Amino acid sequence: MKKIKIAPSILSADFAKLGSEIRDITTAGADVIHLDVMDGSFVKNISFGPKMIKEVRPYSKAVFDAHLMIVNPWNYIKQFAEAGADIITVHQEACGDRLKQTLEEIKALGVKCGVVINPDTSVDKIADVIELCDMILLMSVFPGFGGQKFIPDVLPKIQQVAKLVEKSGKDIDIEIDGGITKDNVKLVKDAGANVIVAGSTVFNEPDRAKIIQELREI
Ligand code: DX5
Ligand code: ZN
């Protein structure tokens, strides 16, 4: 069994005090800080960019996981690497034919790379790049907003990715993102996910250490 890592999404944090929010969830036990970057084009929302990531970087030693929901991500990966991202994930739907090349470009910058697919994208679309990745991110909501409802159709996709990862013999994390709560976290772990993104579930809870521990142990 791979180590379970809890990755709070700061999309649900208080942006007026982002530095201390990130310090707070790190102290509370977060393994990974999930950074949702949205451009208003790939998704219908705008969040933040590399400058913000750079400025909050000193507030935590946890892994900074930049989930790029942007078009033409290759134009920005260098900026995110320089801002302090430890891993950069790009959407298959945004990369098309440039997916493999983009993953290689991220690696060449000295950071880890991953591919993301939306709920309606099949695993077949990424099968030939899985071995290049440090992490595979499966969306369990359509990206754009926090606080949406988990789409259970992702569960067989997690199992499918888990099989491909096992077959590769490589150490590749499987991350799940969207609508994760105490009620469904066991389902996604049992299917094979080991990096658990949780935005509203963590930030709506006053006792963050407790909710992070619960998500880890359930
Ligand atoms: C959705 C983002 C998610 C989201 C998770 O576009 O990629 O990371 O913020 O938030 P919750 O856990 O509230 O669904
Ligand atoms: Zn995300």
Side-chain angles (χ1 to χ4, degrees):
M1 256 300 256
K2 276 171 107 62
K3 184 179 180 268
I4 299 292
K5 298 176 209 170
I6 305 299
S9 160
I10 61 161
L11 200 57
S12 297
D14 180 347
F15 278 22
K17 45 175 188 177
L18 210 41
S20 62
E21 290 272 74
I22 289 175
R23 187 166 50 210
D24 189 41
I25 51 170
T26 306
T27 310
D31 305 278
V32 174
I33 309 297
H34 185 81
L35 304 152
D36 285 307
V37 177
M38 304 178 176
D39 66 353
S41 182
F42 182 73
V43 289
K44 289 195 178 69
N45 196 4
I46 299 176
S47 58
F48 50 79
K51 180 174 191 288
M52 203 220 62
I53 294 176
K54 187 168 185 227
E55 290 177 7
V56 297
R57 180 67 269 198
Y59 288 83
S60 174
K61 288 197 162 65
V63 170
F64 266 33
D65 163 27
H67 172 195
L68 303 190
M69 288 161 272
I70 64 176
V71 296
N72 303 334
W74 42 84
N75 287 336
Y76 301 94
I77 52 181
K78 188 161 184 277
Q79 288 183 51
F80 285 101
E82 285 171 357
D86 298 296
I87 177 158
I88 297 175
T89 62
V90 290
H91 271 263
Q92 183 275 335
E93 303 86 359
C95 291
D97 291 347
R98 265 182 91 155
L99 179 58
K100 185 166 181 278
Q101 188 188 337
T102 307
L103 293 167
E104 282 164 351
E105 285 167 12
I106 296 171
K107 286 238 155 183
L109 291 165
V111 297
K112 293 185 172 180
C113 73
V115 64
V116 195
I117 54 172
N118 280 338
D120 59 353
T121 300
S122 81
V123 172
D124 303 341
K125 291 254 166 79
I126 55 164
D128 59 343
V129 296
I130 283 185
E131 294 203 14
L132 274 176
C133 294
D134 299 288
M135 184 165 79
I136 311 298
L137 170 50
L138 296 168
M139 294 306 302
S140 40
V141 297
F142 284 91
F145 298 91
Q148 302 184 76
K149 202 171 171 297
F150 177 77
I151 300 172
D153 295 352
V154 74
L155 292 168
K157 288 167 72 180
I158 303 177
Q159 291 173 324
Q160 204 183 341
V161 169
K163 279 197 191 115
L164 293 170
V165 165
E166 203 188 319
K167 212 171 103 192
S168 78
K170 300 216 162 123
D171 183 21
I172 302 169
D173 284 325
I174 303 176
E175 183 176 50
I176 183 81
D177 183 8
I180 300 297
T181 64
K182 287 195 275 185
D183 295 330
N184 56 31
V185 70
K186 186 166 189 316
L187 287 174
V188 298
K189 287 180 191 172
D190 286 348
N194 72 300
V195 183
I196 313 294
V197 177
S200 44
T201 294
V202 169
F203 283 97
N204 292 347
E205 177 69 52
D207 188 343
R208 281 138 184 204
K210 180 164 171 272
I211 184 67
I212 288 172
Q213 190 189 357
E214 284 170 343
L215 290 173
R216 197 190 306 284
E217 287 173 5
I218 286 171

